[in-house]
Amino acid sequence: MLHVAEAARVSVATVSALLNGTATVSPELTQRIEQAIRDIGYKRNAIARSLKMGTTRTIGLTVPHITNPFFTDVVSVIQQAFDRAGYAVMLCCTDEDLNTQDEQIRLLLDRMVDGLIVARVGDGGILKGIVEDANVPVVLLDRLCEGVDTDAVVLDNQRAVFDAVTYLIHLGHRRIGYITGTSDISPMHDRMIGYREALQAAGLPVAEELVRSGNFHEIDGYNATMQLLSLHDRPSAIFSANNPMVIGTMKAIRDIGLNCPEDISVACFDDFPWSDVFAPQLTTVAQPVQAIGEQAASLLLDRLAGNRDAPPRKLVLKGRLMIRNSCRPLGAVAQTVSA
Amino acid sequence: MLHVAEAARVSVATVSALLNGTATVSPELTQRIEQAIRDIGYKRNAIARSLKMGTTRTIGLTVPHITNPFFTDVVSVIQQAFDRAGYAVMLCCTDEDLNTQDEQIRLLLDRMVDGLIVARVGDGGILKGIVEDANVPVVLLDRLCEGVDTDAVVLDNQRAVFDAVTYLIHLGHRRIGYITGTSDISPMHDRMIGYREALQAAGLPVAEELVRSGNFHEIDGYNATMQLLSLHDRPSAIFSANNPMVIGTMKAIRDIGLNCPEDISVACFDDFPWSDVFAPQLTTVAQPVQAIGEQAASLLLDRLAGNRDAPPRKLVLKGRLMIRNSCRPLGAVAQTVSA
DNA sequence: AACGCTAATCGAAACGTTTCGAATGTGTCA
DNA sequence: TGACACATTCGAAACGTTTCGATTAGCGTT
């Protein structure tokens, strides 16, 4: 900017004023400055600007795994929304590890991000302190966090699983296996409640041996399914509360020599683009990823626009059961039901 | 830092020296400073540091679509690699649009990213000038760019498609439909060559009506497939050069009432986690995403470590044909071949 | 002719670091 | 005892902006 000012024979203050429109600059100087900018190929340094202004027009976004199709989609939507608003997005993957998350959040804060969208992990770690300090607005994504009272966008997980399991029950299933991620995060917790309540509402017992938990990965779904399928009285249906784990479920079913849906019905959380082109077409609970991403972005953008004092807002969106053909009616029991 | 210095009764220069280890600080002052840092909860401001040092320890990464599973995986690997190295990653999606890409690259450069990894779009736009200025190291990912002479990691696309199409020919297929993205980017161009060469090597004609191109989206694959299937002499196999488009292909096959692989064989580019759990299990060309991401990261990290003058390095990795069951041998012709 | 008003421009401080050269103190050696 | 080397510490400039208050010039009023 100094060079521009010299070339245009004005002060840097005038150049800055012109660039920011913070004061009127005479046509003559405007012309000289613009010429100088073109000649020199000047680009304003956003770092210096950030230092002075205390704002970086950059936000931080952390998710557990970007390869989970739910997060892929949401990240994509969020990225687009902030792009439109002229913000850059720093993306971090925490790998479901609290220490990693803490480290990355620190890294983001060091870089003075203006805001944070977090699909948190573990108990939230340093998140609590950050929200309390209230210097940087935080929006929780997909997962609430106990003791962290801030804006959030989540699904009505309990209801979504309740509906899905109720659907299985209506098909005649009585022993329904349930595969969950670690229950320290709110969606897994709520989904589990939905499962139990659906069984209870139908007057069915909750058999603890039918509930298995793993660490969100394909292999965990595989192992959990193997265990379920080797029970002496094995379930006739399996609901997987997590998308990557259902791949493991399908592989386990295949490896053990069974077929879906003939031998065992499967439904799972999170829809994905392939779900209705291959066989079996998986029955899933689809999350409104577009809305989730957009709402999270707009909550944060609203805070960034200066609306800091409004009380925390929690948005709860509804899932949608996409019924396809991976769950079959159980003949005998179906008759019992219709009898 | 000023506050720390005051609290510890030293100068800011001493605090800085201690923090950076740029000079020896006596045990006594070290102790006082560390105490003050703890008391105040001081965190070094990375923006001010960046301004002074001219480096942000942040890189920019642009891809056309993060929802394309190939890019999802590569982004994930790259993100992890830079995370390990203490760098932050700014992610941008260009939506296959050159103007968007130019804008985002400008945004990244304004923010003084130390380096750039770009899966470019169109003719590269301002990329050429940036590489020539040589202020910011650039690594091309997945796609070379004419006139842009810099580090790159790409696949041997021609060979990969040659192998895949040759495989189809060995199965007895003679009329093989080919669905491609717009050919202005190097992988699409090279893959097309691989297709043509495989046919020529087998002494088969290249029928232009069997080649369809679209814009990388599912719907484009759908339309292209519909066109292919409504030819009076329709192909017995389809190769889709792009992963999202193959979803459209499968949907078109289903909608038209055909089955894969009984009525038509399908193979495509890019593997994905689900490819071997559903039916048909798709035969794909798998890219070594882990290696691609790691190599791209390490090329850039090497430049960032100061190795600026080495000539541009181009890494060409090999794809791997994952043969599953979405392509069937053509009985009659197979006999001809074996005769 | 003196005054105040507005518009345009500018000088200089500030943002929070790093870094260079200077200053200070301490110990060693002739 | 004086000179010198060495270890520590510090003051101040610099990075490239923004912004505040001051300055100047031009103009209409009285």
Side-chain angles (χ1 to χ4, degrees):
Chain A
M1 186 178 274
L2 181 62
H3 297 129
V4 171
E6 281 170 357
R9 286 162 290 137
V10 299
S11 77
V12 288
T14 308
V15 178
S16 177
L18 176 63
L19 252 41
N20 296 310
T22 46
T24 44
V25 176
S26 69
E28 190 194 337
L29 292 202
T30 299
Q31 141 97 52
R32 287 218 306 265
I33 293 172
E34 284 174 346
Q35 184 62 47
I37 287 178
R38 271 193 303 275
D39 289 349
I40 297 183
Y42 165 78
K43 301 250 30 179
R44 176 161 66 191
N45 182 313
I47 295 292
R49 183 163 217 260
S50 293
L51 178 60
K52 184 66 191 166
M53 307 269 283
T55 168
T56 52
R57 286 194 87 78
T58 301
I59 67 134
L61 172 58
T62 83
V63 296
H65 289 290
I66 196 189
T67 49
N68 178 327
F70 167 68
F71 288 119
T72 307
D73 288 350
V74 173
V75 166
S76 178
V77 173
I78 290 177
Q79 205 278 327
Q80 282 171 39
F82 280 97
D83 195 48
R84 277 195 301 274
Y87 280 79
V89 174
M90 290 206 196
L91 175 69
C92 295
C93 303
T94 56
D95 201 28
E96 295 283 358
D97 180 74
L98 181 58
N99 290 332
T100 308
Q101 174 174 294
D102 278 354
E103 227 169 79
Q104 294 183 332
I105 289 180
R106 266 193 280 264
L107 182 115
L108 292 168
L109 292 179
D110 284 354
R111 283 171 169 73
M112 281 179 51
V113 290
D114 292 343
L116 232 33
I117 298 184
V118 179
R120 60 100 184 170
V121 143
D123 65 1
I126 58 175
L127 216 46
K128 190 167 180 175
I130 291 162
V131 168
E132 280 165 2
D133 287 356
N135 289 322
V136 178
V138 176
V139 173
L140 294 176
L141 177 71
D142 180 57
R143 307 170 171 193
L144 295 177
C145 192
E146 205 164 332
V148 177
D149 195 27
T150 187
D151 291 345
V153 182
V154 295
L155 197 80
D156 185 344
N157 284 288
Q158 182 176 337
R159 176 60 182 273
V161 172
F162 182 94
D163 289 349
V165 173
T166 298
Y167 162 73
L168 288 170
I169 294 171
H170 282 163
L171 287 180
H173 295 277
R174 290 296 170 266
R175 286 180 62 77
I176 300 172
Y178 184 80
I179 299 178
T180 176
T182 53
S183 61
D184 57 344
I185 61 172
S186 63
M188 291 301 149
H189 179 255
D190 294 350
R191 289 175 196 177
M192 176 77 88
I193 294 179
Y195 168 72
R196 291 175 187 277
E197 289 198 341
L199 292 179
Q200 281 161 9
L204 294 173
V206 178
E208 291 305 330
E209 85 264 20
L210 291 181
V211 176
R212 303 283 158 164
S213 81
N215 196 25
F216 300 99
H217 295 289
E218 178 183 325
I219 181 66
D220 302 307
Y222 185 89
N223 293 335
T225 306
M226 278 299 190
Q227 291 166 12
L228 287 175
L229 294 180
S230 55
L231 289 174
H232 83 282
D233 183 12
R234 72 168 189 235
S236 63
I238 292 179
F239 184 87
S240 171
N242 163 272
N243 186 298
M245 288 172 83
V246 84
I247 302 181
T249 294
M250 299 307 286
K251 286 192 177 166
I253 290 172
R254 180 196 62 195
D255 286 357
I256 227 166
L258 297 177
N259 287 311
C260 167
E262 293 80 359
D263 305 309
I264 184 148
S265 295
V266 174
C268 76
F269 220 93
D270 287 338
D271 208 27
F272 52 103
W274 322 84
S275 47
D276 62 346
V277 284
F278 294 112
Q281 294 172 11
L282 261 188
T283 290
T284 64
V285 175
Q287 298 200 52
V289 283
Q290 184 81 24
I292 291 175
E294 278 171 3
Q295 299 285 10
S298 90
L299 282 180
L300 187 52
L301 283 169
D302 181 55
R303 297 290 183 189
L304 294 176
N307 185 7
R308 294 300 182 96
D309 301 326
R313 296 156 293 186
K314 191 212 286 191
L315 268 46
V316 180
L317 305 185
K318 290 256 174 282
R320 184 153 155 239
L321 185 62
M322 309 294 285
I323 296 179
R324 302 203 179 87
N325 63 18
S326 63
C327 305
R328 78 175 186 101
L330 276 196
V333 190
Q335 285 183 345
T336 313
V337 165
S338 64
Chain B
M1 185 179 274
L2 181 62
H3 297 130
V4 171
E6 281 170 356
R9 286 162 291 136
V10 298
S11 77
V12 288
T14 308
V15 178
S16 177
L18 176 65
L19 252 40
N20 296 309
T22 47
T24 46
V25 175
S26 69
E28 192 195 335
L29 292 202
T30 299
Q31 143 94 50
R32 287 217 308 263
I33 293 171
E34 285 175 346
Q35 184 61 49
I37 288 179
R38 272 194 301 275
D39 290 349
I40 296 183
Y42 166 78
K43 301 253 25 181
R44 177 161 64 191
N45 182 316
I47 295 292
R49 183 163 217 261
S50 293
L51 177 59
K52 184 66 191 167
M53 307 268 284
T55 168
T56 52
R57 287 194 87 77
T58 301
I59 66 135
L61 172 59
T62 85
V63 296
H65 290 291
I66 196 188
T67 50
N68 177 325
F70 167 68
F71 289 119
T72 307
D73 288 349
V74 172
V75 166
S76 178
V77 173
I78 289 176
Q79 206 276 328
Q80 282 172 39
F82 280 98
D83 195 48
R84 275 195 302 274
Y87 280 79
V89 174
M90 290 208 197
L91 175 70
C92 295
C93 303
T94 57
D95 202 28
E96 295 284 358
D97 181 73
L98 182 57
N99 290 331
T100 308
Q101 176 175 293
D102 277 354
E103 226 168 81
Q104 293 183 333
I105 289 180
R106 265 192 279 266
L107 181 114
L108 292 169
L109 292 179
D110 283 355
R111 282 172 171 73
M112 281 179 52
V113 290
D114 292 343
L116 232 32
I117 297 183
V118 179
R120 61 101 184 170
V121 144
D123 65 1
I126 58 174
L127 216 46
K128 190 168 179 173
I130 291 162
V131 168
E132 279 165 1
D133 287 355
N135 289 322
V136 178
V138 176
V139 173
L140 295 176
L141 177 71
D142 182 56
R143 307 169 171 194
L144 296 176
C145 192
E146 205 165 334
V148 176
D149 194 28
T150 186
D151 292 344
V153 181
V154 296
L155 197 80
D156 185 345
N157 284 289
Q158 181 175 338
R159 175 60 182 273
V161 172
F162 182 93
D163 289 349
V165 173
T166 298
Y167 162 73
L168 288 170
I169 294 172
H170 281 164
L171 287 181
H173 294 279
R174 290 295 171 266
R175 286 180 61 77
I176 300 172
Y178 184 80
I179 300 177
T180 176
T182 51
S183 61
D184 59 344
I185 60 171
S186 62
M188 292 299 148
H189 179 256
D190 295 349
R191 290 174 196 178
M192 176 77 88
I193 293 179
Y195 168 72
R196 292 176 186 277
E197 289 198 339
L199 292 179
Q200 282 161 9
L204 294 173
V206 179
E208 291 305 330
E209 85 262 22
L210 292 181
V211 176
R212 303 282 158 168
S213 80
N215 196 24
F216 301 98
H217 295 289
E218 177 182 326
I219 181 68
D220 302 307
Y222 185 89
N223 293 334
T225 306
M226 278 299 188
Q227 291 166 12
L228 287 175
L229 294 180
S230 55
L231 289 173
H232 82 283
D233 183 12
R234 74 168 187 237
S236 62
I238 292 179
F239 184 87
S240 171
N242 165 271
N243 186 299
M245 289 171 82
V246 84
I247 303 181
T249 294
M250 299 307 286
K251 285 190 178 168
I253 291 173
R254 180 196 61 194
D255 286 357
I256 229 166
L258 296 177
N259 286 312
C260 169
E262 293 79 2
D263 304 310
I264 183 149
S265 295
V266 174
C268 76
F269 220 93
D270 288 339
D271 208 27
F272 53 103
W274 323 83
S275 46
D276 63 346
V277 284
F278 294 112
Q281 294 172 11
L282 216 50
T283 290
T284 63
V285 174
Q287 298 200 52
V289 283
Q290 184 81 24
I292 290 175
E294 279 172 3
Q295 299 285 10
S298 89
L299 281 180
L300 186 53
L301 283 169
D302 181 56
R303 297 290 184 191
L304 294 176
N307 186 6
R308 293 301 181 95
D309 301 326
R313 296 156 292 185
K314 192 212 285 192
L315 267 47
V316 181
L317 306 185
K318 291 256 173 282
R320 181 150 158 244
L321 185 63
M322 309 294 286
I323 296 180
R324 303 202 179 88
N325 62 19
S326 63
C327 305
R328 79 173 186 104
L330 276 196
V333 191
Q335 285 185 345
T336 313
V337 165
S338 64

